[in-house]
């Protein structure tokens, strides 16, 4: 996944009509006190070791703040590094390390002001120079990180600290979505002498031990900026590529919580009074990715045919057990500009056969590469292979381990899958839609689409921007490389002793991996 992946977006931009550009400030801060979950039965309680089983992981596991790939990577960076802004459970932007992010009238300049008294986990002050280093590292032309694409118009050499707490960002074109970018978890602020092998951050925890593909242990950051957090003394994150092992670890008491509860186990866990299920509707998606630059998917008729082969409701029912909603080959359903009035695409086998015949691809055989990197991915591949038979298409499902899936061949698979968390459209497009995007799995390079999205990114009037986004979405609906059949709910499970987890729209498991909010009622 994607996602050095993967994350969410900003509704601030909705309010960014030129002339009414509004600064974000800490008055709406997510720096609130601990949020108690609906099932909470105890007051917040400090101490203890929260042990969490996370899907995926391999020898390629990383601690790099700006290059997380898998679920364990994402869980780790969120513990180690905080960002300038963040999202709340309703997918609204809040301030984090910054107490304000203020645009100029034309949104070509944004001024970031840091909170008072910020420190890294080693006790050193976090200053404007560290922010500048962070953004220059992310956008280094020699080694661009996952957030670089969204910052393509940043004048990185012109980043300027006007004092120890203030940084001025200038862009070569209006940037209406900078707060959204600044809230991505892969843009954590690091010190100017940052070394990923000895990770120092301003997140709620700091690293104690790390063994790639196995386990990582974090202890409380004594200098954390949010008063009273984190509550637990320690977090232990354990990789579990195997679903059964992960569930058994929870039921056997080896871990306190797991992400991505296999949907077939939901009722089993619910029946256990010592366990809880945490389910949230999200804008996450599990696409089939067709490379538009390779046979047979370089023919739009083949891509259209594959989209007509799929029975989306059956996928949601069988793969997700009903824990999700049907998709329409367009992402970012929580974006206020999402074209919900587009007619729903449904299965049409005869039309699919016709398109394949017109493309000279009747009785087609393809390989579909899958991996257990997210709940439902392998099952979706198997169901699709069955559905494709009706159209005369043979789909050979090739299951590989997570390390191979995200290894040297990642981004090279002709027909594969992936997962993405909730993001608004422009943020998602920066990550996966441009030829220069870090996760352009479909090798999408549509000139008309690129021009529309580029204009949208530079448009500060929300109504005009929405119009451009809807046109871009329509292009992807007609000829894009993703098959987006559904939006799965986030379904996790945890011991009833764990408190502070709440429903969350981000799609990032276990309330956006915000373990700083959790406590143990033991």
């Amino acid at each position: 996944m994607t996602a050095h992946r993967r994350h969410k977006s900003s509704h601030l931009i909705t309010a960014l009509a030129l002339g009414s550009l509004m600064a974000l400030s800490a008055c709406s801060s997510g720096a609130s006190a601990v949020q108690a979950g609906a099932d909470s039965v105890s007051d917040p309680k400090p101490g203890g070791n929260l042990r969490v089983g996370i899907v995926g992981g391999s020898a390629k596991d990383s601690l790099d703040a700006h290059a997380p790939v898998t679920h364990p990577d994402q869980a780790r960076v969120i513990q180690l590094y905080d960002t300038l802004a963040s999202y709340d459970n309703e997918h609204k932007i809040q301030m984090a390390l910054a107490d304000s992010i203020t645009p100029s009238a034309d949104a070509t300049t944004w001024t970031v002001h840091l909170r008072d008294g910020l420190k890294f986990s080693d006790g050193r002050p976090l200053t404007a120079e560290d922010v500048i280093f962070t953004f220059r590292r992310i956008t280094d032309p020699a080694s661009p990180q996952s957030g670089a694409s969204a910052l393509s118009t940043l004048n990185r050499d012109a980043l300027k600290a006007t004092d120890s707490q203030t940084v001025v960002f200038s862009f070569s074109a209006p940037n209406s979505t900078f707060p959204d970018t600044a809230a991505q978890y892969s843009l954590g602020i690091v010190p100017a002498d940052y070394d990923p092998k000895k990770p120092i951050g301003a997140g709620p925890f700091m690293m104690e031990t790390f063994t790639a593909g196995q386990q990582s242990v974090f202890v409380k950051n004594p200098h954390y900026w949010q008063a009273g957090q984190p509550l637990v003394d320690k977090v232990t994150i354990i990789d579990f590529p195997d679903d059964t092992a992960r569930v058994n670890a929870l039921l056997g008491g080896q871990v306190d919580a797991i992400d991505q509860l296999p949907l077939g186990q939901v009722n089993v866990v619910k029946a256990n009074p010592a366990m809880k299920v945490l389910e949230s509707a999200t804008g996450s998606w599990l696409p089939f990715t067709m490379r538009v630059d390779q046979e047979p998917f370089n023919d739009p008729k083949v891509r259209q045919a594959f989209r007509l082969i799929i029975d989306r409701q059956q996928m949601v029912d069988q793969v997700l057990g009903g824990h999700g909603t049907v998709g329409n080959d367009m992402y970012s359903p929580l974006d206020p500009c999402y074209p919900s009035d587009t007619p729903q695409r449904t299965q049409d086998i005869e039309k699919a056969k016709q398109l394949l015949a017109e493309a000279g691809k009747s009785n087609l055989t393809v390989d579909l590469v899958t991996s257990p990197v997210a709940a439902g991915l392998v099952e979706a591949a198997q169901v699709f292979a069955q559905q494709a038979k009706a159209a005369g298409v043979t789909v050979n499902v090739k299951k590989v381990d997570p390390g191979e899936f995200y290894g040297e061949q990642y981004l090279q698979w002709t027909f594969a899958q992936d997962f993405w968390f909730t993001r608004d459209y422009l943020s998602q497009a920066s990550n996966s839609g441009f030829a220069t995007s870090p996760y352009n799995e479909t090798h999408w390079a549509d000139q008309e689409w690129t021009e529309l999205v580029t204009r949208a990114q530079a448009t500060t009037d929300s109504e005009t921007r929405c119009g451009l986004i809807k046109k871009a979405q329509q292009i992807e609906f007609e000829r894009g490389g993703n098959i987006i059949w559904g939006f799965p709910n986030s379904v996790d499970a945890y011991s009833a002793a764990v408190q502070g987890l709440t429903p969350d729209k981000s799609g990032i498991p276990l309330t956006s991996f915000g373990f700083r909010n959790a406590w143990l009622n033991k």
Side-chain angles (χ1 to χ4, degrees):
M1 152 191 133
T2 123
H4 299 228
R5 295 171 67 97
R6 294 104 175 19
H7 216 228
K8 16 198 186 174
S9 75
S10 158
H11 293 278
L12 151 89
I13 306 314
T14 309
L16 281 182
L18 189 62
S20 62
L21 286 170
M22 300 170 62
L24 282 174
S25 68
C27 62
S28 58
S29 172
S32 58
V34 173
Q35 298 173 330
D39 293 322
S40 297
V41 294
S42 75
D43 292 331
K45 189 174 176 180
N49 177 13
L50 177 64
R51 304 158 302 165
V52 186
I54 303 293
V55 65
S58 73
K60 296 182 181 296
D61 279 0
S62 169
L63 291 169
D64 194 314
H66 307 133
V69 176
T70 64
H71 276 241
D73 287 350
Q74 293 148 8
R76 283 187 287 271
V77 301
I78 290 171
Q79 310 319 308
L80 289 170
Y81 314 101
D82 269 11
T83 48
L84 296 175
S86 63
Y87 296 85
D88 64 17
N89 296 348
E90 294 299 315
H91 194 51
K92 307 291 186 187
I93 285 191
Q94 307 292 348
M95 291 294 94
L97 295 178
D99 59 16
S100 66
I101 301 178
T102 308
S104 61
D106 62 358
T108 58
T109 300
W110 288 82
T111 300
V112 171
H113 187 268
L114 299 171
R115 294 177 184 275
D116 294 337
L118 293 175
K119 291 182 179 180
F120 287 111
S121 57
D122 62 358
R124 289 181 293 168
L126 189 160
T127 70
E129 294 299 332
D130 299 306
V131 175
I132 290 174
F133 169 83
T134 296
F135 280 81
R136 285 180 175 162
R137 180 177 191 264
I138 292 168
T139 58
D140 183 352
S143 181
Q145 303 298 307
S146 63
S149 180
L151 295 165
S152 61
T153 60
L154 174 67
N155 295 319
R156 63 189 300 275
D157 294 333
L159 282 165
K160 180 181 178 182
T162 57
D163 59 44
S164 64
Q165 289 178 257
T166 307
V167 180
V168 177
F169 291 72
S170 64
F171 296 86
S172 59
N175 185 335
S176 59
T177 59
F178 179 62
D180 179 40
T181 301
Q184 301 299 319
Y185 62 78
S186 60
L187 274 73
I189 302 303
V190 297
D193 59 353
Y194 178 63
D195 179 357
K197 295 180 180 177
K198 299 176 182 177
I200 300 296
F205 295 93
M206 51 189 186
M207 191 189 75
E208 183 175 82
T209 63
F210 168 60
T211 304
Q214 297 183 28
Q215 176 175 296
S216 40
V217 179
F218 303 88
V219 295
K220 183 185 293 189
N221 173 5
H223 305 289
Y224 193 53
W225 61 277
Q226 297 214 51
Q229 293 187 14
L231 285 160
V232 295
D233 293 330
K234 183 180 289 189
V235 169
T236 301
I237 294 174
I238 305 171
D239 291 4
F240 277 102
D242 181 77
D243 284 347
T244 301
R246 192 168 70 260
V247 174
N248 286 342
L250 176 68
L251 297 176
Q254 295 169 289
V255 297
D256 303 300
I258 62 171
D259 72 342
Q260 305 268 306
L261 176 66
L263 299 171
Q265 298 294 317
V266 169
N267 290 334
V268 174
V269 173
K270 281 184 174 178
N272 187 331
M275 300 293 161
K276 298 287 185 182
V277 173
L278 179 65
E279 180 164 358
S280 310
T282 76
S284 300
W285 46 300
L286 303 173
F288 292 99
T289 57
M290 304 177 286
R291 276 191 61 173
V292 302
D293 62 338
Q294 283 196 351
E295 290 273 3
F297 302 112
N298 55 350
D299 188 329
K301 290 183 177 179
V302 175
R303 303 199 294 273
Q304 292 166 8
F306 271 52
R307 286 168 155 186
L308 292 171
I309 284 172
I310 200 162
D311 183 334
R312 297 156 200 269
Q313 189 59 56
Q314 185 183 46
M315 294 289 280
V316 170
D317 292 343
Q318 290 193 7
V319 175
L320 304 181
H323 297 271
T325 55
V326 167
N328 201 21
D329 297 323
M330 297 180 291
Y331 46 82
S332 304
L334 301 186
D335 190 303
C337 303
Y338 183 77
S340 54
D341 56 346
T342 300
Q344 176 64 52
R345 181 168 280 145
T346 58
Q347 186 184 52
D348 189 337
I349 296 297
E350 293 308 312
K351 181 66 174 177
K353 287 181 175 178
Q354 176 189 332
L355 289 166
L356 289 170
E358 291 174 1
K361 301 295 183 185
S362 297
N363 301 314
L364 183 64
T365 297
V366 296
D367 290 343
L368 170 58
V369 181
T370 188
S371 182
V373 294
L377 221 63
V378 175
E379 293 82 358
Q382 294 166 339
V383 172
F384 181 75
Q386 289 298 317
Q387 294 177 347
K389 292 178 180 177
V393 175
T394 300
V395 176
N396 298 318
V397 176
K398 303 288 188 184
K399 182 180 174 182
V400 301
D401 65 54
E404 182 178 357
F405 189 79
Y406 289 126
E408 296 299 322
Q409 283 300 306
Y410 175 55
L411 301 179
Q412 302 304 318
W413 307 118
T414 299
F415 187 35
Q417 294 169 278
D418 210 343
F419 73 93
W420 288 92
F421 294 143
T422 304
R423 292 178 188 233
D424 281 351
Y425 187 76
L426 294 179
S427 174
Q428 182 64 59
S430 293
N431 276 272
S432 61
F434 290 91
T436 56
S437 294
Y439 309 109
N440 188 344
E441 295 148 336
T442 66
H443 291 229
W444 177 247
D446 187 285
Q447 183 175 354
E448 181 183 3
W449 179 91
T450 299
E451 291 174 357
L452 281 169
V453 176
T454 300
R455 285 172 56 197
Q457 290 174 326
T459 299
T460 54
D461 179 79
S462 60
E463 184 175 350
T464 302
R465 188 172 54 252
C466 268
L468 294 167
I469 288 174
K470 288 180 178 179
K471 288 180 180 178
Q473 286 268 36
Q474 186 65 30
I475 289 174
E476 293 202 74
F477 177 78
E478 294 171 353
R479 57 179 186 263
N482 290 304
I483 303 173
I484 302 171
W485 55 269
F487 302 106
N489 292 351
S490 175
V491 183
D492 309 312
Y494 57 100
S495 159
V498 179
Q499 305 286 297
L501 300 177
T502 61
D504 171 62
K505 293 182 177 179
S506 73
I508 301 176
L510 295 167
T511 315
S512 294
F513 290 137
F515 300 141
R516 62 183 171 80
N517 289 315
W519 70 94
L520 297 171
N521 185 29
K522 292 182 177 177

